[in-house]
């Protein structure tokens, strides 16, 4: 499994906003500069975070983005699942119900299932507050 640039950058943006939590709306130009991420690329990530209510935006003078909750309420796993489309190591685990015809006899499915559980548990055990420290 490899986490894409989108997932990694989303985490960097969220950490930056967490570090500025309580300072009002933060202009994305400032975040982009601090994180060395192009503003154009951030414009692809922000809608996902906003749509899922992890952040909120305000346009105009004094506008920008801010977290909708305190930093310790954000789990890395939730952010990565949103931006990556899931953390499943194999396609058959990407759905709630495994519809693979070989699921009953697959010798590797238990291994992939356990790896998937470990991955989710690991990332769900880390918050933005943890990453700020």
């Amino acid at each position: 499994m490899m986490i894409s640039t989108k997932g990694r950058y989303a985490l960097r943006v969220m950490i930056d906003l967490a570090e500025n939590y309580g300072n009002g709306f933060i202009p994305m130009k400032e975040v982009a500069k601090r994180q060395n991420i192009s503003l154009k690329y951030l414009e692809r990530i922000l809608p996902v975070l906003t749509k899922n209510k992890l952040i909120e935006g305000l346009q105009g003078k004094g506008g920008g983005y801010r977290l909708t909750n305190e930093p310790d309420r954000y789990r890395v796993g939730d952010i990565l699942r949103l931006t990556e489309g899931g953390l499943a190591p194999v396609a058959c685990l990407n759905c709630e119900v495994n519809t693979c015809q070989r699921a009953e006899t697959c010798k590797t499915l238990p291994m992939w299932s356990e790896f998937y559980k470990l991955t989710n548990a690991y990332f769900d055990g880390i918050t933005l507050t943890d990453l700020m420290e």
Side-chain angles (χ1 to χ4, degrees):
M1 171 180 54
M2 186 176 301
I3 304 298
S4 72
T5 304
K6 186 176 184 181
R8 293 191 328 265
Y9 285 7
L11 284 173
R12 286 170 49 188
V13 168
M14 294 295 288
I15 294 166
D16 195 291
L17 292 175
E19 290 173 336
N20 289 284
Y21 184 73
N23 295 335
F25 289 92
I26 309 300
M28 264 309 105
K29 285 193 293 188
E30 291 179 15
V31 176
K33 186 175 181 181
R34 280 193 297 264
Q35 297 302 320
N36 195 27
I37 302 171
S38 80
L39 197 53
K40 195 165 192 86
Y41 199 89
L42 286 183
E43 290 169 354
R44 293 176 42 201
I45 296 171
L46 297 174
V48 174
L49 301 174
T50 304
K51 178 183 173 190
N52 289 282
K53 299 185 182 352
L54 296 183
I55 62 174
E56 60 184 345
L58 179 67
Q59 293 188 7
K61 186 174 177 149
Y65 290 86
R66 68 180 180 189
L67 299 180
T68 57
N69 288 299
E70 295 184 22
D72 65 349
R73 304 278 312 265
Y74 293 90
R75 300 182 310 175
V76 168
D78 295 329
I79 298 165
L80 290 177
R81 279 186 288 277
L82 281 176
T83 55
E84 296 296 315
L87 296 173
V90 291
C92 63
L93 293 176
N94 237 357
C95 305
E96 273 189 45
V97 177
N98 188 337
T99 58
C100 177
Q101 295 174 349
R102 294 184 36 82
E104 299 267 331
T105 59
C106 182
K107 302 282 186 190
T108 62
L109 184 58
M111 172 190 67
W112 293 125
S113 295
E114 187 61 27
F115 179 70
Y116 186 39
K117 286 182 208 167
L118 290 169
T119 301
N120 281 297
Y122 177 74
F123 286 131
D124 287 341
I126 303 169
T127 67
L128 290 181
T129 301
D130 297 328
L131 294 177
M132 289 184 336
E133 294 174 356

